[in-house]
Amino acid sequence: MLLVTGGAGFIGSNVVAALNEAGRSDVVVCDFLGTEGKWRNLAKRQLVDIVPPAELMDWLKGRKLEAVIHLGAISATTATDGDLVIETNFRLSMRLLDWCTMNAVPFIYASSAATYGDGTEGFDDDSSLPALKKLRPMNLYGWSKHLFDLAIAERVARCDRLPPQWAGLKFFNVFGPNEYHKGSMMSVLARRFDDVRAGRVVQLFKSHREGIEDGDQRRDFIYVDDVVRVVLWLLATPSVSGLFNVGTGKARSFKDLMLAAYAALGARPNIEYIDMPEQIRDSYQYFTQSEVDRLLRAGYNGGFTTLENAVKAYVGDYLDRPDRFR
């Protein structure tokens, strides 16, 4: 069996869908379903079991698994409950790492580009302790992910025992189907699509930095299908371990993202720029772009979808349909 933690979430449910589509029905999901309709992310899937996170370690006793894909986390960059975030994102990850080590089970986990903080130290996925210790995440979520990266790097440096395969994935700005439960953490495209389709004005932030135009703040936007391909490649390539950026390697602007949505609908752009709230101006990132050389050198050759093609697929296959779920 394969265990996917966070399997009812955004990236997790897309991984589960891809596994099903590849003929794998021996999939166990560990997640909270809650009362906000997150179950719809799994409504088209075939599963062996859905395990609540609080019961996971007991459920694992005596089990034999092919691999653990650990995507479960409190992923909101605005989270403020430090104890809950550390218990969920760090301590549970450590328990799973220890279980996979003891039982010789491959372990693929979600890190985050949030570990890079404001980007002043660059976006190089160097997994050595000296390189990681230079990073200063700007929020609780990023720090919790960074702590776990450091814990694994420490074990690597000491030549401690680890799972037969371990891979941490620093996801950049992922967008695509099944992100709808994420509220304010949804991609701008998902949040604003109904306005785009209805012809209502779409608001983007003005720039408050000299030399950068309004709407030209840039992110490394990556379609969720590309992320899933990386995960499945790692499952099929157990010789590869390490910490890897998962982005396209090409930063694009928020304006580009929304213009691609208008183009996908054949609609005329209707964008206005509003002042960025003062409370976030000093900490706002104007640029993120992954360095993907390590992933490519490790042998990954699945490619990355262009922003325009990704938006066209997302709009045509999901957002502009009555059933938006994968």
Side-chain angles (χ1 to χ4, degrees):
M1 291 188 296
L2 291 165
L3 172 66
V4 183
T5 74
F10 169 35
I11 297 175
S13 65
N14 277 277
V15 169
V16 171
L19 290 169
N20 271 188
E21 290 161 6
R24 298 291 302 259
S25 58
D26 54 342
V27 179
V28 176
V29 163
C30 173
D31 211 335
F32 298 106
L33 295 182
T35 59
E36 302 302 317
K38 198 162 76 168
W39 67 272
R40 294 187 183 279
N41 287 346
L42 294 173
K44 301 171 185 177
R45 309 277 67 92
Q46 183 175 357
L47 305 168
V48 173
D49 200 357
I50 301 177
V51 182
E55 299 176 17
L56 180 59
M57 298 315 296
D58 284 337
W59 182 90
L60 283 170
K61 290 177 181 176
R63 301 278 179 179
K64 292 185 178 180
L65 297 177
E66 181 179 330
V68 171
I69 305 169
H70 180 40
L71 306 175
I74 294 172
S75 59
T77 57
T78 54
T80 57
D81 188 335
D83 296 314
L84 181 61
V85 168
I86 289 302
E87 175 60 32
T88 304
N89 293 6
F90 177 68
R91 298 190 70 225
L92 177 58
S93 299
M94 291 298 294
R95 289 193 288 271
L96 277 174
L97 174 65
D98 289 341
W99 186 90
C100 288
T101 300
M102 185 169 56
N103 291 278
V105 173
F107 180 68
I108 299 168
Y109 75 93
S111 180
S112 173
T115 58
Y116 290 117
D118 63 6
T120 55
E121 294 297 331
F123 302 97
D124 183 0
D125 50 359
D126 185 342
S127 61
S128 68
L129 271 174
L132 290 176
K133 286 181 177 179
K134 292 179 182 178
L135 302 182
R136 294 291 181 268
M138 297 172 68
N139 53 57
L140 178 58
Y141 163 69
W143 176 61
S144 70
K145 291 294 188 179
H146 183 55
L147 273 182
F148 188 63
D149 291 342
L150 284 169
I152 291 188
E154 181 75 32
R155 294 189 183 193
V156 171
R158 294 196 309 245
C159 297
D160 287 350
R161 188 181 169 199
L162 283 164
Q165 178 189 30
W166 67 270
L169 304 178
K170 292 198 173 194
F171 298 132
F172 276 69
N173 285 68
V174 187
F175 68 101
N178 294 9
E179 62 173 313
Y180 321 117
H181 63 284
K182 292 171 66 68
S184 63
M185 293 294 107
M186 276 193 295
S187 67
V188 172
L189 175 54
R191 291 203 312 271
R192 298 289 180 254
F193 179 75
D194 287 340
D195 291 331
V196 171
R197 186 169 57 181
R200 294 188 291 267
V201 66
V202 170
Q203 295 180 331
L204 296 177
F205 285 144
K206 290 180 180 177
S207 171
H208 296 271
R209 186 172 294 181
E210 189 175 348
I212 297 177
E213 295 182 0
D214 294 341
D216 199 39
Q217 303 93 330
R218 295 180 177 238
R219 297 286 184 273
D220 192 335
F221 298 108
I222 180 168
Y223 196 44
V224 71
D225 283 5
D226 294 347
V227 168
V228 169
R229 274 196 295 274
V230 173
V231 172
L232 297 189
W233 173 77
L234 284 165
L235 281 176
T237 318
S239 60
V240 172
S241 291
L243 186 63
F244 302 104
N245 284 335
V246 181
T248 66
K250 186 174 180 61
R252 299 291 300 274
S253 70
F254 285 99
K255 181 180 179 180
D256 289 340
L257 180 71
M258 299 316 300
L259 289 178
Y262 283 107
L265 288 172
R268 179 176 296 179
N270 185 12
I271 300 172
E272 72 174 16
Y273 298 97
I274 61 172
D275 286 331
M276 188 181 296
E278 289 190 12
Q279 61 267 31
I280 68 170
R281 286 184 195 178
D282 292 339
S283 61
Y284 187 82
Q285 280 185 301
Y286 274 72
F287 182 86
T288 65
Q289 180 172 282
S290 65
E291 297 182 21
V292 294
D293 289 350
R294 279 190 174 80
L295 183 64
L296 300 181
R297 288 199 302 268
Y300 181 71
N301 61 1
F304 303 104
T305 311
T306 65
L307 180 68
E308 285 75 16
N309 286 341
V311 170
K312 183 178 180 180
Y314 190 14
V315 169
D317 295 341
Y318 300 100
L319 290 177
D320 198 31
R321 291 176 177 256
D323 180 0
R324 293 181 170 182
F325 292 88
R326 180 174 182 180

